């Protein structure tokens, strides 16, 4: 049985979870039906195909004294940090029927998805689930995939989900060079480089820590974005035309991502004003995750995340000025790079021993509200049309984990000419999440109108 120690950030995600604060991400895919029984057939297909995907057999277990064989992918200098960690290993009694469930027909996929997103995954078996939701009309069905963040980040989750969809003709990946076996002690010839790297890591950690402290000064968030965890979830989604986003980008400059973030800022302004919370003076800190994954990494399942931190110009009444503010902030982050600044605080997980993650997880989860107010993340999707049992995927809404003490998270994916916003909220704190989804659509129309004037 092969095992791999969890990377530090994976271990952090595993240990900050609680019953009221589940740490799984998800995706709600909507498929067009070719027959009234398409949903039931899709559930059968998912169970059969899941049995053949090695990554879906992986469970997470505690490892107090890691064996060197479990740590081949760790530098020898980092082995002491793994004491008290956890490892992924194949579950000997894996049964895909425990993970794939067919539900009763529904006329509201998001309502059911919200209830399911509030239920933590079972930690004693592979931490993922697939829920098939037939539509009452018989013209569509949905599949909600849930993956624990310690098992997979957004890109890895996409890879695992794609493995149980209909096969696609993809180019064969180039073989990866084999890594040489490492001993318990580092090569003495590498010690000067290791020392320089350690000193550089310490300097970067101090720089990130200072940036985190400064990011909390002189700003106002909104009580609508902060709440005591209720353990409930609500989801909503909205799809907009990618062509409309490109029209705004070509008119005002910047990137597609700049426009999509500015849309979130404008939608929050509209939503806060309508619900009576008010947007005056509100500048919530948005965490924009950035992948640090290396191409063809030897261990692609591990989270390799940094991030940018920006203040959303919610208080600004001018939609084009909001876009310019977002573009300037993102350009400043890109110039600094993803390894510096307050948004890179996730990198500090690499400097914490595994035992520290285990003992300090609950305290770290409570600190999220001090670091940022809302998560806005983009999840890449293939441009090719995806299918399940021959039924075409027409919509896909990514669903991000909700940080402890926060009310709202936004995930964005582009698929076949449409941009899908997936919204996840604390169900008790945000009963009007559908209104925020409407505000996203209205903000795109506002930006288009402003570009024409």
């Amino acid at each position: 049985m092969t095992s791999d120690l969890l990377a530090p950030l994976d271990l952090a995600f595993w240990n900050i979870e609680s019953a009221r604060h589940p740490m799984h991400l998800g995706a709600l895919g909507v498929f067009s039906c070719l027959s009234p029984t398409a949903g039931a057939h899709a559930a059968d297909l998912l169970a059969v195909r899941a049995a053949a995907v090695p990554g879906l057999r992986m469970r997470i277990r505690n490892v107090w004294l890691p064996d060197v064989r479990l740590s081949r992918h760790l530098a020898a200098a980092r082995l002491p940090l793994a004491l008290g960690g956890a490892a992924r290993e194949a579950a000997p009694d894996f049964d895909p029927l425990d993970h794939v469930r067919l539900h009763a027909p529904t006329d509201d996929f998001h309502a059911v998805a919200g209830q399911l997103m509030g239920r933590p995954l079972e930690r004693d078996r592979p931490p993922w689930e697939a829920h098939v939701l037939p539509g009452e009309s018989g013209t569509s069905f949905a599949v909600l995939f849930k993956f624990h963040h310690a098992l997979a980040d957004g890109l890895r989750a996409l890879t695992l989900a794609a493995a149980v969809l209909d096969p696609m003709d993809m180019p064969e990946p180039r073989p990866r060079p084999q890594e040489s076996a490492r001993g318990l002690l580092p090569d003495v010839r590498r010690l000067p480089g290791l020392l320089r790297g350690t000193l550089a890591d310490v300097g970067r950690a101090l720089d990130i820590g200072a940036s985190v402290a400064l990011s909390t000064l002189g700003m106002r968030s909104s009580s609508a974005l902060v709440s005591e965890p209720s353990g409930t979830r609500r989801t909503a989604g909205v799809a907009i035309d990618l062509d409309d986003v490109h029209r705004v980008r070509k008119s005002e400059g910047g990137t597609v991502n700049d426009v999509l973030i500015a849309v979130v800022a404008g939608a929050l302004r509209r939503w806060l004003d309508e619900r009576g919370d008010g947007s005056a003076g509100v500048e919530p800190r948005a965490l924009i995750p950035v992948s640090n994954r290396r191409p063809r990494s030897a261990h692609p399942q591990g989270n390799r995340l940094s991030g940018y931190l920006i203040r959303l110009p919610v208080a600004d009444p001018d939609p084009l000025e909001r876009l310019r503010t977002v573009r300037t902030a993102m350009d400043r982050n890109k110039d600094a790079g993803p390894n510096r600044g307050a948004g890179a605080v996730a990198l500090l997980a690499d400097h914490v021993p595994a035992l520290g993650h285990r003992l300090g997880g609950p305290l770290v989860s409570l600190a999220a509200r001090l670091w940022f107010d809302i998560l806005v993340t983009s999840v890449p999707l293939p441009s090719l049309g995806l299918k399940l049992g021959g039924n075409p995927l027409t919509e896909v809404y990514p669903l991000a984990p909700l940080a402890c003490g926060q009310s709202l998270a936004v995930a964005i994916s582009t698929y076949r000419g449409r941009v899908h916003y997936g919204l996840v909220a604390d169900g008790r704190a945000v009963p009007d999440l559908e209104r925020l989804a409407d505000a996203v659509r209205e903000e795109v129309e506002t930006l288009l109108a402003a570009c024409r004037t």
Side-chain angles (χ1 to χ4, degrees), residues 180-232:
S180 58
R182 292 192 177 104
L184 279 175
L185 297 176
D187 189 332
V188 294
R189 294 170 295 180
R190 298 178 57 210
L191 287 177
L194 290 172
L195 179 59
R196 285 194 300 272
T198 299
L199 292 175
D201 285 348
V202 171
R204 183 172 62 180
L206 292 173
D207 183 37
I208 293 170
S211 297
V212 171
L214 290 173
S215 73
T216 65
L217 300 177
M219 55 78 61
R220 175 176 176 256
S221 184
S222 170
S223 59
L225 301 178
V226 179
S227 66
E228 290 301 319
S230 69
T232 62

Side-chain angles (χ1 to χ4, degrees), residues 115-146:
Q115 296 171 7
L116 295 171
M117 285 295 289
R119 301 177 186 175
L121 294 164
E122 296 189 30
R123 293 167 67 91
D124 59 349
R125 63 188 188 188
W128 68 273
E129 293 174 353
H131 298 269
V132 180
L133 315 176
E136 282 190 347
S137 66
T139 60
S140 64
F141 68 90
V143 178
L144 173 68
F145 288 102
K146 292 169 55 178

Side-chain angles (χ1 to χ4, degrees), residues 115-408:
Q115 296 171 7
L116 295 171
M117 285 295 289
R119 301 177 186 175
L121 294 164
E122 296 189 30
R123 293 167 67 91
D124 59 349
R125 63 188 188 188
W128 68 273
E129 293 174 353
H131 298 269
V132 180
L133 315 176
E136 282 190 347
S137 66
T139 60
S140 64
F141 68 90
V143 178
L144 173 68
F145 288 102
K146 292 169 55 178
F147 296 95
H148 198 285
H149 217 323
L151 178 70
D153 61 6
L155 186 58
R156 176 65 175 170
L158 170 65
T159 302
L160 292 173
V164 293
L165 298 179
D166 291 357
M168 295 186 296
D169 294 328
M170 302 292 288
E172 289 292 327
R174 289 184 296 178
R176 199 166 48 236
Q178 295 293 321
E179 290 189 345
S180 58
R182 292 192 177 104
L184 279 175
L185 297 176
D187 189 332
V188 294
R189 294 170 295 180
R190 298 178 57 210
L191 287 177
L194 290 172
L195 179 59
R196 285 194 300 272
T198 299
L199 292 175
D201 285 348
V202 171
R204 183 172 62 180
L206 292 173
D207 183 37
I208 293 170
S211 297
V212 171
L214 290 173
S215 73
T216 65
L217 300 177
M219 55 78 61
R220 175 176 176 256
S221 184
S222 170
S223 59
L225 301 178
V226 179
S227 66
E228 290 301 319
S230 69
T232 62
R233 291 292 180 268
R234 186 180 297 271
T235 75
V238 59
I240 61 176
D241 286 333
L242 181 59
D243 287 344
D244 288 342
V245 177
H246 280 301
R247 290 187 185 98
V248 176
R249 179 190 61 81
K250 290 177 182 177
S251 173
E252 300 301 316
T255 67
V256 166
N257 202 41
D258 293 342
V259 177
L260 298 178
I261 296 171
V263 167
V264 173
L268 285 173
R269 173 184 173 83
R270 192 183 304 266
W271 177 66
L272 290 173
D273 286 342
E274 288 183 0
R275 75 198 314 253
D277 292 298
S279 61
V282 174
E283 292 183 313
R285 295 159 300 175
L287 176 64
I288 317 293
V290 177
S291 175
N292 282 343
R293 187 186 300 278
R294 295 177 180 178
R296 296 183 296 277
S297 166
H299 293 273
Q301 73 271 28
N303 280 283
R304 297 291 185 271
L305 294 174
S306 179
Y308 298 143
L309 196 68
I310 71 170
R311 295 186 182 181
L312 295 179
V314 171
D316 196 323
D318 186 334
L320 296 184
E321 192 59 34
R322 289 196 294 268
L323 174 55
R324 296 183 190 111
T325 299
V326 167
R327 184 179 65 189
T328 300
M330 289 297 288
D331 287 345
R332 187 183 303 116
N333 274 290
K334 291 172 187 174
D335 289 341
N339 296 331
R340 288 194 176 274
V345 73
L347 297 175
L348 298 181
D350 289 339
H351 303 275
V352 178
L355 191 59
H357 284 297
R358 183 183 298 278
L359 298 177
L363 293 177
V364 171
S365 69
L366 296 175
R369 69 178 70 180
L370 301 177
W371 170 29
F372 64 98
D373 303 295
I374 183 173
L375 177 73
V376 182
T377 183
S378 295
V379 182
L381 288 177
S383 58
L384 300 173
L386 301 173
K387 296 181 180 180
L388 178 56
N391 304 285
L393 177 66
T394 58
E395 305 169 53
V396 56
Y397 299 98
L399 303 172
L402 194 60
C404 183
Q406 295 177 353
S407 302
L408 179 67

Side-chain angles (χ1 to χ4, degrees), residues 5-18:
L5 286 171
L6 293 189
L9 189 54
D10 299 331
L11 186 60
F13 286 135
W14 188 247
N15 283 297
I16 65 177
E17 182 174 65
S18 68

Side-chain angles (χ1 to χ4, degrees), residues 14 17 55-61 87-101 120-131 146 148 151:
W14 188 247
E17 182 174 65
L56 296 178
R57 303 181 64 93
M58 304 303 286
R59 68 178 180 184
I60 296 175
R61 67 176 179 89
R88 297 183 190 86
E89 66 176 15
D93 54 351
F94 173 69
D95 185 350
L97 294 178
D98 291 334
H99 300 263
V100 180
R101 296 159 192 173
L121 294 164
E122 296 189 30
R123 293 167 67 91
D124 59 349
R125 63 188 188 188
W128 68 273
E129 293 174 353
H131 298 269
K146 292 169 55 178
H148 198 285
L151 178 70

